[in-house]
Each structure stands twice: as structure tokens, then as C-alpha cells.
Amino acid sequence: YTKQKNETALEAFITHQSERSFDVETALRVCQQAGYHELALKLSRRTKLHTWTLRILLELERFDEALAFIQTLEPEHAAAALRKTGKALLERMPEPTTAVLVQLCQHSKPEEYIHIFVDRPVQLIEFLEAVTATDTNQSSFLYDTLLELYLKEDDLKRAGLVGDELESRIRDRRQKAYALLKRESTRIEKNHALVLCQGAHFREGVLFLLELHNLYAEMLQYLVEEDRPVEEDRYRDVLETCKNFGLPGPSKPGDTRLWGLALTYFASLRSAQKQCDATLRDEYIREILNHIRDIPDMHPLPALQILSSNPEITLGVVRDYVRASLAGRGQEIRKDSERIEQKKEQIAQKRHAIEELRTTANVFQPTVCAQCHQRLDLPAVHFMCGDSFHQQCLVNEKECPICAGEYQKIRERQTSQQQNRSCAHDQFMNEVGGHGFPLVAEYFGKGMFQKVALVGTERREGDPQFTKLF
């Protein structure tokens, strides 16, 4: 029929002849070669050869009809068809094709269609935005890809955008990137996102991620190394970071090391080398010192050692800090002295009580058993702590059941101290070779060479004098 150009007979054959009596794909190729595209399309539709139908429609450049045909297919067949023909459809009909792909993602994974959007980042952004908006439980790969696309600028420049229009589009994308980071921070892979933001010089994204994961020292380092045209802006950012994250709070751990790092940074600046304005630098050093003064863990000596590395920093910069620190330390010394005197008085009272127990007769006059709280009758047992019991109320007549728990704690504590002294012997022998007399004096001060008598032990003849614990 094709050789005879008998289109009527060919159409009748295609329409009514059973496909079992001939090879359908051979017939389709013959019709295509002979130019009977409509008859080939009719035959592919009748025999439900979807691949042939799409191929013919695309060759005829009937893209809207091809997309409509795909929408009539079952989801699995439509997905397979778009994986093969989606790129061609996307080039001619980007928005309708993207919409169909989004609908298909209800039945399949969006990752299957990413390759279709090669060299079409604008449509890929629209696709990923729609997919993640309709289903928030997507894989981290999609969110990472979307973040990467937001931070790219090459496609905008290739599209011919310049000047204010280019800046506006870049700004819009970065606002979306920041919103994505805040919204999907648990799904986006942290390290990958941080590399993307740093590579794109996306300052807000870098600082957000560092704060989110409590990387405060890295945040300060980023601000220090950042190229800011205005010197004071960089100084202000460093100081604000220390204020916000340099102290632990109810909702954040904080890191007091930031103050030392900031002080080290300012001390490294040399006005002679045109690295800074000396007046401005000294002003921020004073501000940092004012804050350090109120932090218990920050002692004056390390701060002064850091600043002493820069000969340009004069005594006038640190004078107020030194005065305030010395005044504060003086108050601490006075409080410590008061506590020492109180402890001495308590120790003296305890020693006096012990001496009275040793040398003075003790008259026991309790009338109630400390265990059963009944009238105390004979036989009774009295303890030096002042508690008295019926003999039948005691399990062990050698120790007071009421005071036994505290007594045991004291013995365990003394045993632990003695063991710690034994363990320190090896450390002492390792260190004494290099330090000599100062180290021996230090250990004497700690009581290393004194033997402690455990409560309840008796001193034997010839034993060294024990340290008194009470």
C-alpha cells in the first residue's frame, strides 16, 4: 500500500486489521519512512505503543499534544516517558512540563527527574520549590541542591542580566537561601551547606550555620578574616559576637574563649604597618577589658600577657582594668580570709570537744531510747556521740547506728585521700628531676609526706606522728 501510494487502503488496513496478523513496529517504521505520520500515529495509539506515540509527536513538533498524552498515561508509564522525553519537552514548554513533573512526584521520587533539568537551573529551582512545598518530608539531597542553585549567579549572567537587575535577582535568591536554611536546618547537610555558603561568600548563611551548631570560635575567626571596607564595622562585629556568645545563657552554651580570641586579634593589629587606626583599636580593647573584668574565669594575667605582645599598646589602655581587677581581687582575699578564720574557729571548737571527751568524765542521762523512742531501761548502751539505746535494740554494740552512716563516709573519704597520695608518688618521681626544691616544697605544703590516721585506728609505739584531722 505504501509503495502504491494507496492511502485509503493503508488507512483501512491500519484501522481494521488485527495487529496479530502483522508486525506492528515494522508497520510503524514503514509508515514513517513513507511519510504517513498521521497513520503511524493512529496505529501506535490503537496498539498502545506509548513510546512510538511520543516519538512521532515529537518528530511532528506537536509538543503540547505530547505532554497532554503523557498526562493520560498511568503514573509509572508517564514517569518512564518523561525520563526519556522530558528534556525535549522542557526546552519547548518549560512551565507546563515542570507542572506535570511536580504532579508525578506524588507517585515517584523527585530525584528521578533531576537530570532532565541539565542547563535549565531556573526551571529546576521552580521544580524543587514546588516539590518541597507540597511535601516537606523530602531527602536532604533536594534541599542541598536547591540551596546550591540559590547561591549560583552564572545562569543569571548568561541570561544577560546586568547592573541593578542582576543585583536584584541575586538578592532575591539569597533571601530565599537564608529562608531555606532557617526552615529546613535539620534536613540540610551542615558541612555541605557551610562549604556552599563560604564558596558563594554568603555572609548571612555562614554566620547562621555557625551559630546554629554552636561554632562560636569559628564564627569569630570568620569575622576577623572577613574583608570589610570599613574598619570599625569589623571591630563592631567582633565585639557583638563576644557579647552575644561569650557567656553561657539559658538557651545557648556560650564560649568564654571568645574574649581571649578577640583580645588576641586586637593585640595583633599594628598601626605602624597601617593595619588599623590605633585610637580605634585601643578603644575596643578597653571595651573588651571592661567585659572580661566581670567574667570569673578570665584572670588579669593572661589578658595582660596577650596585650604585652604589642609594644604599641600603652599602660594607659589597661590602667583602669588593672585597678578594677586588683580591687576585685582584694575583696576576694578579704572574703577568703574571713572564711579561713571561721574555719579555724570551728576547728578549735571541735578540738576542744575532742579533748573534753578524752579527759573529762561524761555523765549519760538520757531517758528515751534513740532507736525505739521508748523509756530507756537497763540494760542500756551509751555511745560517746550522746545517743543511748536499749541493748536489745542494737545489732552491733560497737558503733552507734544513727552515726554509723556519716562515720563510714568519713572513713571512705580518708581512704580515698590516702590512695590518691599513693598514686601521686609516681608523678612526683617523674617531676622531681626537673624541678627539684620548688616541687618538694609544693608537695610538703600539700601534706604529701605526712601519714594520715584513719578514724578508728590506734597508734602503735614507734609510729610517726599522725596528722590530726580534728
Side-chain angles (χ1 to χ4, degrees), residues 81-101:
L82 274 174
R83 282 195 294 269
K84 292 182 179 180
T85 63
K87 189 172 183 181
L89 291 172
L90 199 64
E91 291 178 355
R92 302 301 181 111
M93 305 173 62
E95 294 183 3
T97 304
T98 302
V100 173
L101 287 169

Side-chain angles (χ1 to χ4, degrees), residues 53-73:
T53 302
L54 283 173
R55 183 189 301 175
I56 295 169
L57 288 173
L58 292 176
E59 288 179 359
L60 296 175
E61 296 187 354
R62 290 155 60 173
F63 299 104
D64 54 346
E65 190 175 345
L67 189 60
F69 173 74
I70 289 175
Q71 292 179 274
T72 63
L73 301 177

Side-chain angles (χ1 to χ4, degrees), residues 146-164:
L146 183 56
L147 177 64
E148 184 174 359
L149 291 168
Y150 281 149
L151 297 178
K152 281 188 174 180
E153 304 174 5
D154 296 344
D155 61 302
L156 298 177
K157 295 176 181 178
R158 287 197 301 268
L161 299 180
V162 294
D164 294 340

Side-chain angles (χ1 to χ4, degrees), residues 252-450:
K252 60 180 185 299
D255 189 352
T256 56
R257 296 177 304 165
L258 295 183
W259 297 101
L261 295 174
L263 204 60
T264 302
Y265 164 65
F266 284 110
S268 68
L269 300 176
R270 302 289 195 274
S271 60
Q273 300 176 9
K274 298 183 179 180
Q275 296 176 344
C276 66
D277 177 84
T279 303
L280 191 61
R281 177 200 61 199
D282 294 348
E283 177 184 344
Y284 275 88
I285 289 177
R286 291 189 185 95
E287 184 73 17
I288 291 176
L289 291 175
N290 287 337
H291 287 86
I292 288 178
R293 186 177 59 196
D294 301 327
I295 301 175
D297 296 338
M298 300 295 294
H299 297 283
L301 185 57
L304 296 176
Q305 287 176 337
I306 292 173
L307 295 177
S308 65
S309 63
N310 189 341
E312 296 179 356
I313 300 175
T314 63
L315 181 60
V317 177
V318 300
R319 181 183 293 111
D320 294 339
Y321 170 70
V322 172
R323 286 176 176 173
S325 298
L326 291 176
R329 297 296 182 246
Q331 293 178 359
E332 293 179 5
I333 291 172
R334 285 192 293 272
K335 291 180 181 179
D336 290 340
S337 299
E338 292 174 359
R339 286 194 293 268
I340 289 172
E341 293 301 323
Q342 292 175 359
K343 295 296 183 183
K344 285 182 177 179
E345 184 177 351
Q346 292 174 4
I347 291 172
Q349 293 173 357
K350 294 291 184 182
R351 285 177 174 171
H352 178 70
I354 292 172
E355 187 64 24
E356 284 188 345
L357 289 175
R358 288 176 176 173
T359 60
T360 307
N362 192 4
V363 180
F364 298 97
Q365 296 178 333
T367 59
V368 177
C369 174
Q371 183 71 26
C372 66
H373 304 292
Q374 300 298 322
R375 180 179 176 82
L376 187 63
D377 298 322
L378 297 177
V381 179
H382 305 279
F383 290 96
M384 298 299 290
C385 62
D387 296 324
S388 298
F389 303 86
H390 292 119
Q391 188 176 26
Q392 63 269 21
C393 291
L394 290 175
V395 178
N396 182 5
E397 296 183 8
K398 293 184 178 181
E399 61 181 5
C400 172
I402 295 176
C403 303
E406 187 65 26
Y407 180 76
Q408 180 63 26
K409 291 180 182 178
I410 293 174
R411 285 194 297 183
E412 291 175 353
R413 191 180 303 120
Q414 290 177 344
T415 303
S416 175
Q417 291 174 352
Q418 185 65 21
Q419 291 174 349
N420 290 339
R421 283 183 169 86
S422 300
C423 294
H425 176 268
D426 294 338
Q427 180 183 354
F428 171 76
M429 294 304 296
N430 291 333
E431 295 178 356
V432 72
H435 299 280
F437 180 79
L439 183 69
V440 174
E442 178 184 354
Y443 273 80
F444 261 112
K446 294 179 179 179
M448 180 63 187
F449 302 106
Q450 292 178 319

